[in-house]
Amino acid sequence: MTAESIFTEQDGCFVPSELARGPWDQNALHGGAAAALIVDQLERLHPAEGLRTGRLSFQFLRPIPSAPLELSTALARPGRRVQELAAELRAGDQLVCRAKALRVQPVPAELPQPADRTQEDAAPGDKDAASGNDAAPQRGMPPPESRETVRFALDDPDKPSFATAMEMRWLTEPFVLGPGRVWMRLRHPLLPEQPASPLSLLAAVADFGNGVSSELPFRHYVFINADLTIHLQRVPIGEWAGIDALMLLQPDGPALAESVVHDRDRPVGRAFQTLVVQAR
């Protein structure tokens, strides 16, 4: 990991470096950089205290400028079993991103595991459970060390951006239209001497779904996400996050990117992005 950070702190603001830049506008940030920063601050300012993050959601209200950003956070819903955190990111007097994190009490360790279900436990019509066969698990991903590092960016791969701030190891071919699978880890700390936590890294990687998978060529179309929602089934671990992404397009409807997100052990959740698609 190199020393230059994605953001620095100055006069109560977070100042982005070129490493936070996104692909759609040379003067705007990547949504993943903003998502990672917000999650990082929520974790630092509001410790989970035994709860687990079950959902992260981000509304990108307008392009996030490459300018000093003010981030405010709050405990919107306190509770022992359910807790909601809120965050707002502002550039000057403009609100550019609104985010929420939902934390819940974890599943008790003493509960039966899915593989322990018997015929008596099965609901009527649950043939898989009644026969003792579990539903097919989500497919895993070959480990990152099984592939070589590939330098990737939708725009210029030689120009600093949030994409080039990532080390990427692709399991599919970059730039080929259709579903995409790739491992990522940050080459740089999120803030000076502060590496991204596994959860903030996962939030960053989840925002790449609409670039990892595409049904349209970047040189002719834009497919910008207006939001990002991540549903988690467990807490991610480690310095790598993987994404198995699929873009879904229907005429006269909103476009969607759907991704299964992984740590190196197994899938940890799903991410969804609502896309604005148009010709350049």
Side-chain angles (χ1 to χ4, degrees):
M1 182 175 289
T2 58
E4 185 181 2
S5 60
I6 310 298
F7 294 92
T8 56
E9 291 186 76
Q10 182 179 334
D11 299 328
C13 293
F14 294 97
V15 181
S17 70
E18 285 188 302
L19 296 169
R21 184 179 61 82
W24 311 110
D25 183 335
Q26 297 297 307
N27 299 310
L29 304 193
H30 195 290
L37 177 67
I38 291 170
V39 171
D40 175 84
Q41 293 302 295
L42 289 175
E43 288 186 293
R44 294 180 187 279
L45 299 177
H46 307 279
E49 298 179 349
L51 300 181
R52 301 289 184 266
T53 301
R55 187 188 71 227
L56 296 166
S57 59
F58 308 86
Q59 290 180 294
F60 301 113
L61 305 175
R62 51 179 48 85
I64 302 172
S66 183
L69 302 169
E70 295 183 37
L71 177 59
S72 61
T73 67
L75 180 58
R77 178 186 177 186
R80 292 180 300 169
R81 293 184 296 181
V82 179
Q83 184 184 89
E84 186 176 66
L85 307 177
E88 291 187 343
L89 193 65
R90 296 179 180 273
D93 60 356
Q94 283 196 325
L95 178 62
V96 294
C97 179
R98 184 182 290 120
K100 291 184 178 180
L102 184 71
R103 292 170 173 168
V104 298
Q105 179 178 289
V107 175
E110 65 271 16
L111 288 186
Q113 296 299 306
D116 295 333
R117 295 173 67 194
T118 65
Q119 185 167 355
E120 292 181 358
D121 298 323
D126 189 347
K127 296 181 180 179
D128 287 340
S131 64
N133 295 324
D134 295 323
Q138 299 174 18
R139 64 174 179 172
M141 290 172 57
E145 57 267 22
S146 68
R147 299 295 192 273
E148 297 295 325
T149 298
V150 174
R151 194 169 179 85
F152 171 86
L154 286 177
D155 49 1
D156 185 352
D158 295 321
K159 187 172 182 178
S161 69
F162 197 56
T164 65
M166 289 282 185
E167 179 181 354
M168 299 191 187
R169 297 190 180 184
W170 285 78
L171 303 176
T172 54
E173 288 295 324
F175 298 111
V176 173
L177 299 183
R181 306 170 82 200
V182 61
W183 287 104
M184 302 186 198
R185 65 178 172 182
L186 274 168
R187 303 173 186 267
H188 302 262
L190 192 60
L191 291 160
E193 301 182 4
Q194 292 184 18
S197 71
L199 187 59
S200 58
L201 171 65
L202 191 81
V205 171
D207 195 62
F208 279 84
N210 59 325
V212 169
S213 169
S214 177
E215 295 297 327
L216 300 166
F218 175 78
R219 65 183 181 275
H220 297 309
Y221 296 90
V222 297
F223 26 93
I224 304 166
N225 61 300
D227 70 349
L228 169 66
T229 302
I230 308 166
H231 291 269
L232 294 163
Q233 62 199 61
R234 68 178 182 86
V235 178
I237 59 173
E239 63 175 348
W240 288 98
I243 185 169
D244 186 346
L246 174 66
M247 182 183 289
L248 303 169
L249 299 177
Q250 292 291 335
D252 297 324
L256 175 70
E258 178 182 359
S259 305
V260 179
V261 286
H262 299 242
D263 64 14
R264 65 176 301 118
D265 288 347
R266 58 190 187 276
V268 298
R270 289 183 178 270
F272 302 88
Q273 299 164 288
T274 306
L275 309 180
V276 176
V277 178
Q278 61 186 44
R280 288 185 176 275

